[in-house]
Amino acid sequence: MTQTLEATILAVFTGKARDRWEGKAPSAIAKEAATGPLWLSATGLAGDEQADRAVHGGPEKALHHYAADHMAAWASTFPDSAEFFRPGCFGENIASLGLTETTLCLGDVLELDGATVQICQGRQPCWKLNLHTGQPAMAPSFQKTGRTGWYYRVLAEGSVAAGGRIRLIDRPHGDWPLARLIAARFDPRLDPAVAAELAGLPVLAESWRTAFARKVDPAYTENTDRRLKG
């Protein structure tokens, strides 16, 4: 039986790609709250842009959800910028309370207002978080804490708005809470057997399955400097 798990959408955010930092690629990480319903298609929300489609957007990153539950912890970690940490500040599309990386699992299917979505991967933080927040340690802190948020693929398109209901309707991989999955993704000494298990899960986004397939080799070392530091 699927456990009862419900929440309400606090806000829906979209953004346009624009030049933010001299010498750096454009970014759409700065997003604004929508004032009404938006259509969620297989590739994302109407009006939302991704500057670099090679690493953002697409069917397996159609929507990014971040737990507003974490904002107090970030404000405590970076007290000089406490006022910055509000829903939408990390470039997410959906904010809510009560759903976190510890309460949700890989493959969870959720009713998201008028759409149906499935969790297919966590977020791999990059250097843009550092510049956007003004905190050089932001991306590494995201990765270390596992408070990264998660991405959805869209199973059924529909309208999404603040105030809409989020409801868990299927849980095929209850043995893989997002917190465990995300920790495994960033573990440099992951058990090869665990890596092989994850590499073989069709519900996991292809890029993450590829990453875990590499981790099956005990000699493999992943260099994250370029992603985290730019």
Side-chain angles (χ1 to χ4, degrees):
M1 178 182 293
T2 301
Q3 72 179 81
T4 300
L5 196 62
E6 295 188 358
T8 300
I9 298 173
L10 293 179
V12 179
F13 301 93
T14 62
K16 299 291 186 181
R18 58 188 178 90
D19 291 324
R20 293 284 308 279
W21 312 288
E22 185 176 355
K24 297 289 188 180
S27 174
I29 195 171
K31 299 187 185 298
E32 296 182 355
T35 57
L38 293 176
W39 187 257
L40 176 60
S41 73
T43 54
L45 288 167
D48 194 39
E49 291 184 353
Q50 294 83 35
D52 184 355
R53 295 304 294 268
V55 293
H56 296 291
E60 294 189 319
K61 287 185 178 177
L63 203 67
H64 182 245
H65 190 157
Y66 198 82
D69 311 64
H70 297 327
M71 295 303 169
W74 289 125
S76 178
T77 302
F78 301 103
D80 291 344
S81 301
E83 70 283 352
F84 176 86
F85 299 104
R86 301 289 184 269
C89 68
F90 294 130
E92 66 266 34
N93 299 115
I94 300 291
S96 68
L97 287 169
L99 303 176
T100 70
E101 294 82 358
T102 59
T103 62
L104 292 171
C105 298
L106 170 66
D108 278 0
V109 178
L110 298 105
E111 175 188 282
L112 186 73
D113 202 358
T116 304
V117 296
Q118 183 175 42
I119 298 174
C120 56
Q121 61 183 308
R123 177 176 178 174
Q124 294 187 87
C126 76
W127 56 267
K128 291 180 182 179
L129 272 172
N130 303 336
L131 297 182
H132 176 63
T133 63
Q135 300 292 342
M138 195 74 241
S141 294
F142 248 55
Q143 184 162 300
K144 182 178 180 179
T145 63
R147 298 194 297 259
T148 69
W150 54 92
Y151 283 103
Y152 295 120
R153 62 169 63 95
V154 178
L155 302 183
E157 299 180 352
S159 181
V160 176
R165 182 173 71 162
I166 308 170
R167 183 174 65 91
L168 178 66
I169 55 180
D170 190 29
R171 171 161 285 175
H173 292 287
D175 56 335
W176 275 108
L178 280 174
R180 182 186 178 206
L181 172 70
I182 293 164
R185 176 64 188 88
F186 301 131
D187 185 350
R189 294 176 293 278
L190 185 65
D191 183 336
V194 175
E197 177 186 349
L198 286 163
L201 291 180
V203 72
L204 187 62
E206 182 179 2
S207 63
W208 278 46
R209 281 186 278 122
T210 298
F212 282 117
R214 294 191 182 108
K215 286 175 174 281
V216 172
D217 179 359
Y220 173 72
T221 299
E222 182 177 15
N223 188 334
T224 61
D225 285 352
R226 183 176 178 184
R227 172 169 58 81
L228 294 176
K229 299 177 183 178

